[in-house]
């Protein structure tokens, strides 16, 4: 079985100390695209094996969250929703937030959670956090179908919602959301190597973060300029707010805020990529 | 001359001490606190490591060193088609070297060039997911090891046939027995089709059948002109497979050459005894006028050898000087292996030496008598006329290694697996 000459181009590997910190071998990651695809497939199929409801959990989870938010923040708390039907308001925020959080968590655990494999065999480690972007995108797609269903139903019942041109930007918002989750995930993953505390702090921090994002309240609730700036500095604010605006024509779309959120997203993403790339080279020594 | 398959230049790996074991902010704070109070913070964090290298690292830490070199300035070339063994004791840097060559971690300094597609078998079954079926895991494992999906598509039937798991290929692997698990994992690894195969000794665990398959596979690989880089402290396997070997001692490359020489070097280190031991007049052991000058293991050409073929005769030689005329005693030698005494050979009667000065005694061992492995030779010189009196006794004078090269000419014939026993006479089986 070793007779056949391998078909690929001759492989030359140069191993040396102190690779420049800015060099990320994208070509190598591309070489491992099949692994990326399989990791995505594995995560999508393996999680729900031996569960009764299976992939239905993808739908039940955001649905229940939306119901809880509607009851607690909408009915009991009586928070404004800018006149958007409560269910649509909370659901639109929830599914995007879930996507962001899913990518973030996947990335955050990519090094520490896979030490077993990573200390035994080499493949570009970046593949693991990248796979999280796609796995969670599949979850998001399912959730979005659910959302569309409710959206159309509310429209047919005559709710006052005005979808507009910003809908064209919707795919871009999804991309931004994924990149943001990836960027922060890479940061946390790299920092967790040194400080394991982050593992315990992360669920708590993301929950706080969600309440700092206009998921359960509209951005219009924040009026003082200083707080407004802080709100829009959080890159998720723009994603959630613009998404709502695109579908309903209500809310407070702030173009400057969107620009700012893209700047923050790209800064976090690029710095995250570089930091992760630096840490992954020798992380098995410290783990 | 062709380009080397692996070229290693001044490769070093240093672990910084003091950064180990501080994984949380609390630890970090404690570390600082200890520092501020002027105590040695390392005291607080020194603990027994879980790997061989780490144990050495902790040792270095306790000695107060700030850094620890797991690998120091190692250079060598491996030509395509060569089967090269890396031997050394636990913690000598073997695994670190392999980890660098497989790119699991980066060197601290130096560089390495690898020409050709590399496959590493540091552990079979890496990345198996219990919930996935055998089929899914073949793909998963294959891509983790660096195969493309279409390559696996092309070889899938071959892999399944090799594993003999056709019936269970769509069953989740968590339902597999451990034997089935290993079979599937190895089938994937065996079909990697690499130009360079890096193998760690962890592969040598598992049942006999599996080991045999592994070793057989490595032989196949080397015979088809591929390069094999075999890391082990199983001398028998190294002797059998590798023509050339490197010996690592405390992270440094101490020997690079023919396997038999490498094995004797390793034997000498691990048993703390050489194939030839000699003493100067001043520190010669012995009493009552007897002084031991030299003990050696010699091959058929009368040269000291540390590694001998199982079929070759060898001789044990002892040289000593006497201070008086007319001394009378006898000499005995005991051969220890696998923690027991294989046998003792003794002069049948006491010998009388009429003249003072240097004398030499030797005893010949025929071929096909010792088993494979390391032997330690103990020497004893005594007289037992009336009260037993010792002239000299050294339990670990010299050491040597016996290897069985598996070409069918030795007592094991064509049997490739382990054979028990401390002796291995070549006996004839007859059918009546």
């Amino acid at each position: 079985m070793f007779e056949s000459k391998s078909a690929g181009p001759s492989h030359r590997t140069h191993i040396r100390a102190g690779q420049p910190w800015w060099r990320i071998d994208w070509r190598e990651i591309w070489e491992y695209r099949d692994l990326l695809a399989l990791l995505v497939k594995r995560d999508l199929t393996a999680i729900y094996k031996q569960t009764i409801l299976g992939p239905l959990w993808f739908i039940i989870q955001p649905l229940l969250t939306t119901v809880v938010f509607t009851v607690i923040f909408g009915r009991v708390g009586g928070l404004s929703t800018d006149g958007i039907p409560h269910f649509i308001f909370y659901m639109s925020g929830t599914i995007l937030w879930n996507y962001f959080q899913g990518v973030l968590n996947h990335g955050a655990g990519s090094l520490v959670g896979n030490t077993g494999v990573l200390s035994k065999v080499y493949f570009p480690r970046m593949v693991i956090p990248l796979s999280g972007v796609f796995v969670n995108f599949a979850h998001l797609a399912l959730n979005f179908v659910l959302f569309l269903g409710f959206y159309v139903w509310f429209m047919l019942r005559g709710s006052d919602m005005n979808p507009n041109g910003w809908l064209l930007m919707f795919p871009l918002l999804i991309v931004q959301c994924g990149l943001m989750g990836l960027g922060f995930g890479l940061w946390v993953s790299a920092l967790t190597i040194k400080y394991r505390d982050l593992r315990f702090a992360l669920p708590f921090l993301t929950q706080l973060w969600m309440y700092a994002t206009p998921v359960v309240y509209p951005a219009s609730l924040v009026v003082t300029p200083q707080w407004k700036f802080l709100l829009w500095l959080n890159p998720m604010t723009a994603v959630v707010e613009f998404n709502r605006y695109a579908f309903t024509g209500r809310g407070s779309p702030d173009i400057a805020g969107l620009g700012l959120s893209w700047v923050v997203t790209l800064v976090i993403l690029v710095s995250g990529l570089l930091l992760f790339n630096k840490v992954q080279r020798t992380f098995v020594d410290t783990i | 001359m062709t380009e080397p398959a692996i070229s290693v230049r001044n490769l070093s790996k240093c672990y910084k001490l003091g950064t180990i074991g501080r994984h949380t902010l609390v630890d970090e704070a404690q570390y600082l606190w200890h520092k501020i109070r002027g105590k040695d913070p390392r005291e607080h964090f020194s603990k027994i490591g879980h790997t061989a290298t780490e144990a050495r690292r902790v040792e270095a830490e306790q000695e107060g060193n700030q850094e620890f070199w797991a690998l120091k300035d190692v250079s060598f070339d491996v030509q395509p088609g060569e089967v090269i063994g890396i031997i050394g004791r636990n913690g000598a840097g073997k695994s670190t070297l392999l980890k660098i060559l497989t790119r699991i971690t980066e060197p601290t300094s130096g560089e390495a060039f690898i020409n050709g597609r590399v496959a590493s078998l540091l552990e079979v079954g890496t990345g198996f997911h219990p919930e996935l079926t055998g089929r899914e895991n073949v793909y998963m494992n294959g891509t983790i090891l660096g195969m493309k999906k279409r390559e696996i598509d092309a070889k899938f039937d071959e892999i399944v046939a090799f594993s003999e798991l056709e019936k269970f290929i769509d069953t989740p692997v968590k339902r597999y027995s451990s034997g089935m698990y290993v079979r599937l994992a190895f089938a994937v690894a065996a079909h990697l089709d690499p130009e360079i195969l890096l193998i760690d000794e962890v592969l040598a665990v598992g049942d006999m059948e599996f080991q045999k398959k592994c070793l057989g596979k490595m032989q196949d690989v080397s015979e088809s002109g591929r390069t094999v880089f075999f890391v082990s402290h199983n001398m028998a396997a190294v002797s059998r497979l590798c023509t050339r070997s490197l010996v690592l001692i405390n992270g440094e490359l101490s020997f690079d050459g023919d396997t038999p020489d490498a094995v004797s070097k390793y034997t000498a280190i691990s048993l703390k005894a050489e194939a030839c031991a000699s003493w100067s007049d001043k520190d010669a052991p012995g009493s009552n006028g007897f002084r031991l000058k030299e003990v050696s293991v010699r091959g058929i050409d009368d040269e000291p050898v540390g590694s001998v073929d199982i079929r070759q005769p060898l001789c044990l030689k002892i040289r000593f000087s006497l201070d008086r005329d007319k001394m009378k005693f006898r000499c005995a030698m005991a051969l220890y292996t696998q923690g027991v005494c294989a046998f003792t050979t003794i002069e049948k009667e006491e010998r009388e030496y009429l003249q003072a000065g240097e004398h030499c005694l030797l005893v010949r061992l025929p071929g096909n008598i010792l088993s494979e492995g390391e032997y330690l030779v103990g020497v004893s010189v005594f007289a037992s006329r009336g009260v037993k009196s010792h002239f000299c006794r050294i339990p670990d004078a010299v050491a040597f290694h016996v290897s069985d090269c598996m070409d069918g000419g030795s007592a094991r014939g064509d049997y490739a697996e382990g054979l028990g026993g401390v002796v291995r006479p070549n006996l004839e089986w007859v059918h009546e």
Side-chain angles (χ1 to χ4, degrees):
Chain A
M1 70 198 59
F2 284 92
E3 260 95 84
S4 66
K5 258 265 174 268
S6 76
S10 71
H11 290 66
R12 285 181 62 99
T13 317
H14 183 194
I15 297 162
R16 68 195 160 108
Q19 302 259 16
W21 55 271
W22 64 84
R23 229 192 117 239
I24 300 176
D25 197 344
W26 292 107
R27 213 189 53 189
E28 190 189 33
I29 295 171
W30 176 245
E31 290 265 297
Y32 276 83
R33 60 190 180 277
D34 287 347
L35 174 62
L36 178 65
L38 276 165
L39 280 174
V40 172
K41 201 179 143 200
R42 180 190 78 177
D43 285 351
L44 286 178
T45 53
I47 301 175
Y48 291 97
K49 280 199 175 173
Q50 281 211 354
T51 58
I52 296 167
L53 296 174
L56 269 183
W57 281 111
F58 289 129
I59 287 172
I60 294 169
Q61 199 206 350
L63 203 60
L64 283 178
T65 311
T66 306
V67 169
V68 169
F69 283 175
T70 306
V71 171
I72 293 180
F73 298 104
R75 294 281 148 77
V76 180
L79 283 176
S80 155
T81 59
D82 282 346
I84 304 168
H86 287 185
F87 208 78
I88 297 298
F89 179 88
Y90 293 119
M91 192 173 223
S92 67
T94 302
I95 62 172
L96 281 182
W97 180 263
N98 280 353
Y99 178 47
F100 168 72
Q101 193 180 325
V103 177
L104 169 62
N105 284 338
H106 197 110
S110 57
L111 289 182
V112 173
N114 292 288
T115 317
V117 179
L118 295 178
S119 61
K120 292 289 177 220
V121 59
Y122 175 83
F123 56 86
R125 278 80 185 243
M126 201 75 86
V127 167
I128 300 176
L130 277 179
S131 76
V133 176
F134 298 104
V135 171
N136 288 287
F137 180 77
H139 294 195
L140 172 72
L142 262 173
N143 289 346
F144 184 67
V145 169
L146 181 73
F147 171 77
L148 270 188
F150 280 102
Y151 180 71
V152 169
W153 191 64
F154 273 95
M155 284 287 261
L156 291 177
R157 281 190 47 198
S159 289
D160 185 17
M161 294 190 285
N162 310 302
N164 49 62
W166 281 100
L167 271 179
L168 295 174
M169 290 292 284
F170 178 68
L172 212 57
L173 290 178
I174 300 298
V175 170
Q176 189 188 358
C177 194
L179 294 181
M180 208 188 303
L182 180 65
F184 282 106
L186 292 171
W187 263 96
V188 176
S189 160
L191 291 178
T192 314
I193 299 299
K194 190 138 172 64
Y195 305 112
R196 296 295 168 83
D197 312 54
L198 264 177
R199 268 179 125 177
F200 306 106
L202 186 66
F204 176 66
L205 289 177
T206 43
Q207 186 142 32
L208 281 186
W209 193 349
M210 191 195 81
Y211 289 111
T213 307
V215 172
V216 296
Y217 56 88
S220 60
L221 217 62
V222 179
V223 280
T224 42
Q226 311 93 291
W227 285 108
K228 220 170 164 177
F229 175 73
L230 265 181
L231 184 77
W232 286 88
L233 196 60
N234 170 6
M236 272 308 281
T237 298
V239 174
V240 169
E241 205 58 27
F242 270 85
N243 170 51
R244 256 182 217 141
Y245 184 75
F247 279 95
T248 65
R250 287 161 190 272
S252 36
D254 185 333
I255 306 283
L258 183 64
L260 178 64
S261 85
W262 265 103
V263 171
V264 174
T265 302
L266 291 178
V267 167
I268 291 294
L269 178 67
V270 171
S271 57
L273 284 170
L274 294 173
L275 182 69
F276 182 90
N277 189 49
K278 185 173 151 45
V279 166
Q280 58 93 13
R281 290 201 194 121
T282 53
F283 92 99
V284 289
D285 300 339
T286 35
I287 208 104
Chain B
M1 192 157 150
T2 50
E3 222 177 338
I6 303 172
S7 178
V8 170
R9 292 281 162 270
N10 309 97
L11 210 60
S12 299
K13 177 76 184 175
C14 176
Y15 290 102
K16 288 264 181 297
L17 299 174
T19 54
I20 306 151
R22 279 183 291 143
H23 286 316
T24 68
L25 285 168
V26 177
D27 281 349
E28 192 89 58
Q30 279 180 340
Y31 186 84
L32 281 174
W33 175 242
H34 279 262
K35 238 180 174 167
I36 290 163
R37 292 198 309 174
K39 281 190 180 176
D40 184 4
R42 286 189 309 267
E43 240 170 66
H44 187 71
F45 294 98
S46 63
K47 53 185 177 196
I48 299 306
H50 57 276
T51 63
T53 318
E54 202 161 310
R56 248 184 79 206
R57 198 153 77 179
V58 170
E59 219 171 87
E61 194 163 6
Q62 279 157 355
E63 283 165 15
N65 300 337
Q66 283 304 312
E67 45 191 32
F68 157 71
W69 292 87
L71 215 55
K72 206 164 186 182
D73 212 18
V74 171
S75 302
F76 58 88
D77 281 334
V78 183
Q79 299 305 323
E82 226 177 338
V83 182
I84 191 162
I86 313 297
I87 49 188
R89 302 173 68 184
N90 277 340
K94 295 177 306 224
S95 299
T96 306
L97 177 61
L98 210 53
K99 273 191 172 165
I100 292 172
L101 291 181
T102 50
R103 304 175 62 200
I104 286 166
T105 188
E106 245 190 10
T108 308
S109 64
E111 55 188 348
F113 295 91
I114 297 179
N115 276 312
R117 184 167 149 164
V118 181
S120 57
L121 298 182
L122 299 198
E123 198 168 274
V124 286
T126 302
F128 266 29
H129 194 295
E131 295 287 349
L132 298 180
T133 66
R135 179 187 303 275
E136 290 166 318
N137 268 312
V138 166
Y139 278 94
M140 198 65 231
N141 199 217
T143 47
I144 282 181
L145 293 172
M147 278 200 263
K148 291 265 162 28
K149 189 172 171 292
R150 58 180 157 76
E151 289 177 72
I152 306 170
D153 286 336
K155 286 183 189 158
F156 187 78
D157 292 336
E158 217 180 309
I159 293 173
V160 177
F162 188 88
S163 69
E164 300 159 24
L165 288 168
E166 288 93 341
K167 271 193 216 158
F168 309 99
I169 200 67
D170 288 310
T171 309
V173 294
K174 64 178 175 183
R175 310 240 179 278
Y176 281 21
S177 70
S178 58
M180 290 159 79
Y181 192 94
V182 167
R183 244 151 66 201
L184 186 67
F186 187 71
V188 178
H191 288 76
L192 273 173
D193 199 16
E195 279 138 357
I196 300 164
L197 191 59
L198 307 174
I199 302 176
D200 198 1
E201 56 201 340
V202 262
L203 196 76
V205 299
D207 55 20
M208 276 297 184
E209 190 62 25
F210 176 58
Q211 281 190 25
K212 194 179 170 185
K213 254 185 170 167
C214 289
L215 295 176
K217 179 50 57 201
M218 282 175 58
Q219 242 149 4
D220 284 0
V221 172
S222 65
E223 276 158 21
S224 65
R226 312 285 161 118
T227 310
V228 180
F229 195 83
F230 183 48
V231 173
S232 179
H233 53 203
N234 177 354
M235 289 305 117
V238 172
S239 306
R240 215 169 287 159
L241 290 161
C242 310
T243 45
R244 179 183 152 207
S245 292
L246 311 177
V247 181
L248 284 176
I249 298 170
N250 291 334
E252 287 175 66
L253 183 62
S254 82
F255 184 85
D256 175 355
D258 293 338
T259 299
D261 297 338
V263 170
S264 29
K265 176 95 185 172
Y266 174 78
T267 306
I269 296 154
S270 60
L271 296 182
K272 294 192 177 70
E274 306 266 352
C276 180
S278 51
W279 293 269
S280 65
D281 278 333
K282 258 200 294 187
D283 54 2
S287 54
N288 300 331
F290 175 94
R291 274 181 295 161
L292 186 62
K293 303 302 288 288
E294 187 184 273
V295 183
S296 58
V297 184
R298 287 165 192 268
I300 28 180
D301 53 359
D302 202 36
E303 286 296 309
V305 283
S307 180
V308 289
D309 187 291
I310 198 162
R311 295 163 295 182
Q312 297 293 332
L314 57 91
C315 93
L316 303 170
K317 208 165 186 174
I318 155 170
R319 196 158 56 78
F320 50 88
S321 75
L322 301 176
D323 293 349
R324 306 191 302 268
D325 293 342
K326 287 188 184 172
M327 285 176 74
K328 200 174 181 187
F329 51 79
R330 72 171 98 202
C331 189
M333 289 198 186
L335 274 78
Y336 302 91
T337 187
Q338 300 164 32
V340 297
C341 180
F343 60 83
T344 302
T345 173
I346 189 165
E347 282 187 279
K348 292 188 183 83
E349 50 194 31
E350 291 185 359
R351 193 185 294 273
E352 185 163 15
Y353 299 85
L354 296 173
Q355 285 185 326
E358 258 192 29
H359 296 267
C360 207
L361 276 176
L362 63 86
V363 56
R364 287 201 171 81
L365 290 180
N368 287 315
I369 179 105
L370 299 174
S371 184
E372 277 173 280
E374 276 121 39
Y375 282 84
L376 201 56
V377 182
V379 176
S380 184
V381 179
F382 60 93
S384 51
R385 188 63 42 90
V387 182
K388 189 169 175 179
S389 60
H390 280 286
F391 289 94
C392 177
R393 188 157 66 169
I394 300 178
D396 53 356
V398 287
F400 61 100
H401 184 272
V402 179
S403 57
D404 194 343
C405 65
M406 307 272 261
D407 57 6
S410 63
R412 63 160 60 242
D414 67 354
Y415 185 72
E417 292 168 37
L419 280 176
V422 293
V423 291
R424 191 175 296 169
N426 193 354
L427 306 175
E428 212 47 55
W429 283 64
V430 181
H431 177 236
E432 287 193 329

